[in-house]
């Protein structure tokens, strides 16, 4: 049973436009959410996070929105750049859990075309 | 500073052989995690170490998998009698104070191929 879902395996956008990556979760115990970016042959790198007590967190070109009632979050990248092309993973965390593990979605491959 | 390092970067082994994968976490990080990513899948939690506490092995898929962490630093993941379904990228991550900070820092992974 997948608790974190990224329903779009891929997304293609033009340079300079907005990229919107979506993520849904089913476990209401999740209270912290993270986005990771992964280039081929590298480990995932942390991008941005949001606590469940907030509905928005912004860091430069990256903004994450959280809709708790819908159990949905999204990552907005504005403006998109070719260097943003990578696989983006959504991850969720239960701070009351015993092992602080991250539960990941399957990822969305973002391609930003020049 | 140095990030999480893993070795080897690639490992090809024959079915039935044992393999050992190594992880060096970031210095000062008390928590260490192993995940694996199979083809087309997200990262799957395997095991968690925190300080000197007993590890949480709840994610290990079978008793062929084991891991240890010596001296609260380096960790090795051992897979005995490898099977083809064990082929995946094995990722190690560390974090400073789980429960206070939530970001985990990942190494580059070991790509394991079982033939």
């Amino acid at each position: 049973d997948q608790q974190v879902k990224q329903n779009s395996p891929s997304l293609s956008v033009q340079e300079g436009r907005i990229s919107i990556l979506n993520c849904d979760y089913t476990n209401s115990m999740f209270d912290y959410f993270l986005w990771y970016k992964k280039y081929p042959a590298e480990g995932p790198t942390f991008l941005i996070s949001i606590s469940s007590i907030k509905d928005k967190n912004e860091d430069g070109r990256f903004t994450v929105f959280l809709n708790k009632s819908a159990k949905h979050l999204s990552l907005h990248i504005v403006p998109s750049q070719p260097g943003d092309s990578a696989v983006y993973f959504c991850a969720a965390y239960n701070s009351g859990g015993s092992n602080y593990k991250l539960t990941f979605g399957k990822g969305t491959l973002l391609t930003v075309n020049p | 500073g140095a990030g999480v390092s893993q070795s080897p970067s690639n490992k090809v082994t024959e079915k039935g052989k044992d393999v050992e994968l190594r992880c060096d976490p970031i210095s000062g990080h008390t928590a260490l995690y192993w995940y694996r990513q199979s083809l087309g899948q997200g990262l799957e939690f395997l095991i968690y170490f925190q300080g000197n506490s007993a590890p949480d092995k709840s994610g290990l898929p079978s008793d062929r998998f084991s891991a240890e962490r010596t001296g609260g630093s380096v960790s090795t993941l051992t897979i005995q009698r490898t099977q083809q379904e064990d082929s995946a990228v094995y990722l190690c991550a560390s974090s400073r104070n789980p429960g206070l900070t939530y970001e985990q820092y990942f190494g580059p992974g070991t790509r394991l191929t079982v033939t």
Side-chain angles (χ1 to χ4, degrees), chain B residues 85-109:
Chain B
E85 61 262 28
D86 300 334
S87 296
V89 177
Y90 289 81
L91 290 152
C92 175
S94 68
S95 64
R96 184 179 301 278
N97 288 308
L100 295 178
T101 60
Y102 303 106
E103 294 82 15
Q104 296 177 16
Y105 297 86
F106 284 83

Side-chain angles (χ1 to χ4, degrees), chain A residues 31-34 36 46 49-51 93-96 100-102, chain B residues 33 94-105:
Chain A
D31 56 358
Y32 201 82
F33 304 90
L34 306 90
Y36 280 82
F46 170 71
S49 62
I50 188 166
S51 164
Y93 189 97
N94 172 11
S95 64
Y100 307 109
K101 70 176 184 180
L102 291 172
Chain B
Y33 307 78
S94 68
S95 64
R96 184 179 301 278
N97 288 308
L100 295 178
T101 60
Y102 303 106
E103 294 82 15
Q104 296 177 16
Y105 297 86

Side-chain angles (χ1 to χ4, degrees), chain B residues 8-95:
Chain B
S9 55
N10 282 284
K11 176 72 177 177
V12 180
T13 190
E14 291 180 353
K15 177 181 172 181
K17 301 280 191 183
D18 298 352
V19 294
E20 273 193 2
L21 313 179
R22 177 187 168 104
C23 171
D24 280 274
I26 294 172
S27 177
H29 281 195
T30 60
L32 186 148
Y33 307 78
W34 283 97
Y35 294 85
R36 75 175 176 182
Q37 184 183 14
S38 303
L39 191 63
Q41 302 297 313
L43 281 72
E44 172 192 6
F45 166 77
L46 296 177
I47 189 169
Y48 162 67
F49 294 90
Q50 169 58 25
N52 295 321
S53 302
D56 184 322
K57 305 178 183 180
S58 59
L60 294 179
S62 80
D63 59 8
R64 295 186 295 104
F65 288 71
S66 63
E68 63 176 23
R69 189 179 185 192
T70 53
S73 180
V74 171
S75 177
T76 54
L77 176 69
T78 301
I79 309 173
Q80 295 179 309
R81 305 180 303 282
T82 52
Q83 303 295 313
Q84 288 186 330
E85 61 262 28
D86 300 334
S87 296
V89 177
Y90 289 81
L91 290 152
C92 175
S94 68
S95 64

